[in-house]
Amino acid sequence: MPDAIKLLKQNGWQEHKRSYDLINPRCFIHSNGVILDLCGYGVEQKNGQTISGLWMSGVPFEWNRVTVYPRIDLVAKQTKFGSVWHPTQPETILQALYGQWQIKDVNFDTTICAKNLQGFSLLTQCFAYSRICVLWRHHRWVKLKPLVEQVRRFTPSDQLFVKLEKQLQMELQHETQ
């Protein structure tokens, strides 16, 4: 990651919005307006799983949002810009993250609803609760529904979210009438 960041900066990229104070991924913007998320992957020493996610510095690792992937094998491909590493099976990465990735779902929230989340970490909860509050204030019921369902999946006995889900169902019914 440090080498990739150094190379990007040497080629006109600047860190964007302080990468939201994350150490992974890192967000960069080019002078032409293109934004790039540089996301690192690692292999857990204990079990050999490929992991990635949203990671913060200075907090216990288990607080971070961790996603798990099948083994990622890379192959060098020649492009007009030179040799680049490319996943041999990109579909397996998409499948792990999105599930049915071929079906467009404009309401899918990758941060909260990723199919390959390793638990419902503190950072994931913070993102979820923040987005739920914003969407609720803006009456974005359809976009809100999968987020509330995801929270309920991980915390089925949370009485606040039991009530929230019931109220959301009423709002959705009212909107379709």
Side-chain angles (χ1 to χ4, degrees):
M1 182 74 85
D3 290 343
I5 291 169
K6 182 179 176 182
L7 185 63
L8 285 170
K9 287 182 176 181
Q10 288 172 351
N11 286 280
W13 294 83
Q14 295 179 1
E15 195 145 11
H16 185 57
K17 296 185 180 180
R18 292 187 9 238
S19 292
Y20 307 99
D21 295 325
L22 297 170
I23 58 171
N24 191 55
R26 300 292 288 274
C27 186
F28 291 87
I29 188 167
H30 196 270
S31 57
N32 64 11
V34 173
I35 295 177
L36 169 77
D37 285 333
L38 178 64
C39 192
Y41 290 79
V43 177
E44 281 193 348
Q45 295 300 314
K46 288 186 255 176
N47 57 22
Q49 287 183 314
T50 301
I51 62 169
S52 190
L54 306 178
W55 303 339
M56 296 179 74
S57 177
V59 301
F61 188 75
E62 63 270 11
W63 290 9
N64 289 302
R65 178 188 167 277
V66 177
T67 47
V68 180
Y69 293 86
R71 179 184 165 113
I72 298 175
D73 292 313
L74 302 174
V75 62
K77 286 191 173 185
Q78 290 301 318
T79 72
K80 64 181 180 180
F81 303 104
S83 182
V84 297
W85 289 103
H86 187 273
T88 55
Q89 296 181 308
E91 301 83 13
T92 61
I93 298 168
L94 295 169
Q95 180 70 35
L97 185 59
Y98 299 108
Q100 297 181 338
W101 60 274
Q102 302 95 332
I103 299 171
K104 184 177 180 177
D105 182 356
V106 297
N107 295 310
F108 188 80
D109 185 312
T110 308
T111 302
I112 312 307
C113 299
K115 304 298 182 192
N116 58 347
L117 279 177
Q118 185 178 19
F120 197 54
S121 70
L122 184 57
L123 185 58
T124 307
Q125 290 174 48
C126 290
F127 276 112
Y129 301 155
S130 173
R131 289 188 181 170
I132 286 169
C133 286
V134 168
L135 291 170
W136 197 281
R137 279 196 326 254
H138 290 100
H139 301 212
R140 302 280 311 275
W141 311 125
V142 173
K143 187 149 182 83
L144 184 60
K145 188 175 187 291
L147 274 68
V148 171
E149 289 171 351
Q150 182 77 327
V151 171
R152 292 277 293 128
R153 186 170 78 93
F154 282 105
T155 59
S157 60
D158 185 321
Q159 289 304 304
L160 174 62
F161 275 86
V162 169
K163 293 176 186 176
L164 192 72
E165 187 173 47
K166 287 178 184 175
Q167 183 64 39
L168 176 59
Q169 289 169 355
M170 289 178 14
E171 298 294 348
L172 284 165
Q173 286 176 342
H174 182 262
E175 190 173 82
T176 58
Q177 292 175 356

